[in-house]
Amino acid sequence: MLTATTRVAAAVVATLLLVGGLGLLAVRDSGAVGTGLWLVVIGAGALIALAIERNRYRSEAAERSFESVGPGGGEPAGALEPRFRRTDETFIDPTTGVTMRVFVDRTTGDRRYVANG
């Protein structure tokens, strides 16, 4: 799980790698081409990973606002909209061992997860 600061720092490093690699490719020196290609691949791969990386069990709204995560990586306690109703369904997060409670919006089927505390 990455914090907003970590994401920005990783994006800056990945962008520098990508730009540096493109610069080395532009030089067209036979020794620099291999290094430049690797820098481009690593930088682009890191940027793609950052674009698709998400915290588990969190809503898009929580991701966009960079709200702090709740225990187990779910929504923070009390952060759910009133449309979400508590269900009897729970599960244990295999990574953290935290028991998560499932909440559902019955009109849309959207599910949210909150640490069962």
Side-chain angles (χ1 to χ4, degrees), residues 11-108:
V12 167
V13 170
T15 302
L16 290 173
L17 287 171
L18 182 64
V19 170
L22 290 172
L24 285 175
L25 289 175
V27 171
R28 297 185 187 250
D29 179 21
S30 62
V33 170
T35 302
L37 186 58
W38 275 110
L39 290 176
V40 167
V41 168
I42 292 169
L47 287 173
I48 290 168
L50 285 168
I52 62 174
E53 185 272 335
R54 294 194 50 199
N55 292 320
R56 297 174 313 168
Y57 315 131
R58 288 175 49 87
S59 65
E60 288 288 332
E63 281 296 302
R64 283 192 301 274
S65 70
F66 296 111
E67 273 184 65
S68 62
V69 299
E75 303 283 343
L80 290 178
E81 300 170 33
R83 65 187 173 106
F84 288 97
R85 300 288 181 226
R86 177 186 169 117
T87 68
D88 291 333
E89 183 181 353
T90 62
F91 64 94
I92 297 175
D93 178 351
T95 304
T96 63
V98 173
T99 302
M100 304 296 288
R101 169 72 59 186
V102 179
F103 288 76
V104 175
D105 177 351
R106 297 192 196 289
T107 58
T108 65

